[in-house]
Amino acid sequence: MEAWWTRLRFEPGQRREGDVGELTYAIERRSASWQFSFRRRGESRRPDRPQPSATRAAADEEEFELEFRPALPDRPVVVRLETPYVILPRRDLLFYISMPLWLEVVTPTDGKALASEPTIQLSNTWFGPPNQGRLAYALRIPARSRHEDLPAEPTRAGFPVRLRNASEQTLVLERLCLDPGPLSLFQGETRIWTSNLGIVYRGPDATTRLAYGTRIPVPDGPGPVLREPRAPRPSRLITRTYEAARALDILGP
Amino acid sequence: MNRWLDLIERIDLSRLVTGLQVVVIAVLGLVFVRGLARLVTRIFAKRLTRQGLLIIEKGVLYAGYLLILITILNQLGFQLATVLGAAGIAAVAIGFSAQTSLSNLISGLFLIGEEPFQVGDLITVGEHTGLVESIDLLSVKLRPFDNRYIRIPNETLIKTPVVNVTHFPIRRIDLSIGVAYKEDLRQVMQLLLEVADRNPWCLDEPVPIIIFDGFGDSALEMKLGVWVSKTDVLALRNSLLVEIKEAFDREGIEIPFPHRTLYTGEATAPFPIRIVSDSSDPGAAPPSPEAGA
């Protein structure tokens, strides 16, 4: 796997261009600032889309290095399973989600993000009824039961989720809404991984318990941490289910 | 020196002291009430909506002003019971002479209680559409997109239907689309769904719908209904229309438009038409200027 998360050194006035997945970036070190512009392939000359506008960030006099870092989506994601799964009481289901990554440009000295752009264009979706619910990104690749079936792209991370049906009722699961905020990113041998998530479903009216892991849960080599979580790990979350318990929102109301 | 002493002798010192007390109460009272309103707003800033904060701020201000007025009147020697009695009589008189204002005032209380919209919502009242700037006791202030200032009396808002465009977090946008009678409707519908699917602002769920509207005068008419976050309405509308046109052009799907035939009537001679070249012959010479009628 080719690592695109790297540190770049700029000379005064130097401009660098490159691609990370579908994203093309151009970064220039100006006299007292950094200038960034991003566009996705095939979108640059569309009249209906906003043209890539440059953003600038003030730079220290001695600051000539930037670091590329992968990050997870800044909003919840909705993922479908390949087919609706019937999970009997006291049974587990392990599945893997392909999470698109963001390119974060940070200053190496203090790790502050100067720019953050998705490497893959994601579509918006809504989770829940039209009058209540949440805005999320739709993941087009359904969750798989084998991680080998996920696309091995450097701009995607494997996200292992184990769901236990601890209720007394059969759970028919079609899709989930998940918050990637509390997940870490690790470098594996074959792909980037997120930390794992355990979900204990205890019924439509009961609190669902979540357990966010802190390590790579698959035998993919002990990799270094690429990114700490965006958000702190929640201690307690409320479950909402929609459509007769077919859609599970583990983020709470 | 004698003049100064005469002046001091003429001044009633007790009245001077009362006057000074009134000024001090008014100044300190106003400063205190405004500070208190600001403090209360800051305390509830994270717990309440903008409208809730506005109501609390105004409630504290009006109650504070009333207290200051009562204190000043008391200081000036007015009997509160007498003042309230006079105020009752005045209220009846004002009630007759200011029915509209009172109606607006009461309507404002209903609006605040019912909360059909909040500060920051986009609403349509009659022919006016704009963002709600403030909800006051007598009127609601709107700011339309062209940045004018519209004041709508609360009584009007109670009496007329109000459309709150941004009440729900997502909206459905219906785009009217017409295609020529010769087109394959199933192909057109499939293409429209694909265009919606590729647009990042168009929500995947709720899924877009296509409603066949009927056989129009010059087109097969249909509506494409797509869901969008209330913040992305304009971006979606502009991008989707462009993308639909591009997709139709790419697939050779015709968007018809009404044709108009000009009839010159019996009284005048018909338009002379003269064919000067065969348009299918690419090598044909262009028509000469005198060839036209």
Side-chain angles (χ1 to χ4, degrees):
Chain A
M1 181 176 52
E2 192 182 346
W4 52 268
W5 47 98
T6 181
R7 191 175 285 201
L8 297 173
R9 180 159 184 87
F10 289 74
E11 299 303 322
Q14 187 183 0
R15 177 187 168 88
R16 284 176 184 268
E17 291 185 20
D19 295 329
V20 176
E22 294 175 9
L23 187 72
T24 299
Y25 66 84
I27 302 174
E28 187 177 345
R29 179 64 166 91
R30 297 199 161 191
S31 59
S33 64
W34 295 101
Q35 180 167 301
F36 307 95
S37 59
F38 300 97
R39 64 181 164 81
R40 252 159 237 95
R41 250 174 262 144
E43 274 190 3
S44 58
R45 284 174 186 82
R46 292 186 63 99
D48 53 313
R49 298 278 162 84
Q51 294 302 302
S53 55
T55 55
R56 289 172 80 169
D60 287 343
E61 278 184 19
E62 300 300 318
E63 188 179 86
F64 289 99
E65 283 191 341
L66 288 178
E67 195 174 305
F68 283 3
R69 198 168 64 171
L72 285 161
D74 54 1
R75 213 190 277 162
V77 295
V78 172
V79 64
R80 286 184 169 277
L81 302 178
E82 280 176 290
T83 51
Y85 257 89
V86 176
I87 311 170
L88 297 173
R90 310 289 165 200
R91 297 280 178 92
D92 286 9
L93 173 66
L94 175 65
F95 53 89
Y96 298 90
I97 297 167
S98 178
M99 292 289 274
L101 294 175
W102 261 232
L103 162 66
E104 228 176 39
V105 185
V106 300
T107 54
T109 47
D110 54 6
K112 300 280 184 200
L114 297 175
S116 183
E117 280 287 319
T119 59
I120 296 165
Q121 178 73 63
L122 295 178
S123 182
N124 286 342
T125 191
W126 187 254
F127 194 80
N131 56 347
Q132 54 162 329
R134 68 181 72 248
L135 189 65
Y137 292 120
L139 300 187
R140 296 293 169 89
I141 298 175
R144 314 277 189 190
S145 50
R146 283 163 25 97
H147 65 81
E148 294 88 351
D149 295 339
L150 294 181
E153 295 171 15
T155 52
R156 290 180 174 276
F159 175 24
V161 179
R162 181 180 289 277
L163 193 148
R164 168 166 296 172
N165 181 9
S167 72
E168 298 300 324
Q169 302 159 0
T170 299
L171 174 65
V172 182
L173 193 64
E174 278 183 3
R175 59 202 170 102
L176 292 103
C177 184
L178 298 161
D179 182 8
L183 298 173
S184 306
L185 283 172
F186 300 90
Q187 183 179 352
E189 279 180 11
T190 56
R191 66 171 80 242
I192 297 179
W193 288 96
T194 70
S195 45
N196 59 331
L197 171 66
I199 305 171
V200 181
Y201 177 73
R202 303 194 304 159
D205 302 321
T207 308
T208 289
R209 290 187 180 149
L210 302 178
Y212 282 93
T214 54
R215 291 178 302 166
I216 303 180
V218 288
D220 198 22
V225 176
L226 295 175
R227 178 73 158 81
E228 293 295 339
R230 274 185 196 262
R233 293 191 173 89
S235 55
R236 180 175 173 273
L237 292 171
I238 309 296
T239 294
R240 282 194 298 183
T241 51
Y242 300 115
E243 300 167 15
R246 280 171 177 264
L248 184 60
D249 179 4
I250 64 155
L251 300 167
Chain B
M1 188 67 182
N2 284 340
R3 202 181 296 165
W4 277 108
L5 289 174
D6 289 345
L7 187 64
I8 290 169
E9 192 184 338
R10 275 203 296 273
I11 291 173
D12 187 344
L13 270 180
S14 64
R15 282 191 185 177
L16 186 67
V17 170
T18 308
L20 280 173
Q21 283 175 333
V22 166
V23 170
V24 169
I25 289 169
V27 171
L28 289 183
L30 284 175
V31 170
F32 175 75
V33 166
R34 284 181 187 172
L36 185 68
R38 213 169 293 154
L39 180 72
V40 171
T41 311
R42 205 171 292 169
I43 288 170
F44 289 102
K46 286 183 181 168
R47 294 180 215 170
L48 293 176
T49 59
R50 280 172 69 190
Q51 185 178 353
L53 288 175
L54 205 70
I55 292 167
I56 281 197
E57 187 188 6
K58 290 196 171 164
V60 171
L61 281 175
Y62 293 144
Y65 293 156
L66 191 66
L67 271 176
I68 293 170
L69 185 68
I70 289 170
T71 313
I72 288 173
L73 288 175
N74 206 21
Q75 200 64 35
L76 291 172
F78 289 95
Q79 294 296 318
L80 202 58
T82 316
V83 171
L84 288 178
I89 296 166
V92 173
I94 291 168
F96 277 113
S97 59
Q99 282 182 28
T100 312
S101 299
L102 282 177
S103 170
N104 281 326
L105 191 76
I106 293 164
S107 302
L109 294 175
F110 280 121
L111 277 180
I112 288 169
E114 191 188 340
E115 278 194 82
F117 48 80
Q118 295 187 340
V119 173
D121 278 345
L122 179 70
I123 64 168
T124 298
V125 185
E127 58 186 15
H128 302 296
T129 298
L131 290 165
V132 178
E133 286 285 298
S134 71
I135 302 166
D136 297 324
L137 281 177
L138 292 179
S139 63
V140 166
K141 276 80 175 184
L142 293 188
R143 184 167 58 83
F145 295 120
D146 54 1
N147 212 27
R148 288 174 298 157
Y149 179 83
I150 300 175
R151 177 187 179 278
I152 300 178
N154 287 339
E155 191 185 359
T156 310
L157 288 162
I158 290 287
K159 284 179 180 169
T160 52
V162 177
V163 180
N164 188 341
V165 182
T166 52
H167 181 73
F168 294 117
I170 55 173
R171 281 176 62 192
R172 201 182 79 188
I173 304 291
D174 291 341
L175 301 174
S176 297
I177 295 158
V179 294
Y181 272 86
K182 68 180 173 63
E183 304 299 347
D184 178 356
L185 268 184
R186 291 180 203 283
Q187 184 205 355
V188 171
M189 288 178 171
Q190 182 61 33
L191 191 65
L192 288 174
L193 291 177
E194 284 172 13
V195 170
D197 188 53
R198 280 197 299 270
N199 188 298
W201 287 292
C202 174
L203 298 180
D204 283 23
E205 291 179 28
V207 290
I209 57 164
I210 295 175
I211 303 162
F212 184 61
D213 262 356
F215 301 98
D217 291 341
S218 56
L220 295 168
E221 293 168 350
M222 59 187 80
K223 276 198 174 68
L224 171 65
V226 292
W227 288 85
V228 61
S229 166
K230 66 181 179 184
T231 55
D232 297 334
V233 171
L234 281 180
L236 174 89
R237 184 178 278 276
N238 287 337
S239 61
L240 203 57
L241 284 171
V242 172
E243 286 163 6
I244 289 170
K245 177 71 168 59
E246 284 174 353
F248 279 10
D249 288 350
R250 198 170 51 245
E251 298 293 325
I253 293 170
E254 183 189 346
I255 302 175
F257 50 88
H259 292 73
R260 184 167 293 171
T261 303
L262 290 179
Y263 175 58
T264 55
E266 289 179 355
T268 58
F271 290 122
I273 295 172
R274 190 170 164 196
I275 298 171
V276 293
S277 68
D278 183 357
S279 60
S280 63
D281 179 8
S288 60
E290 59 271 15

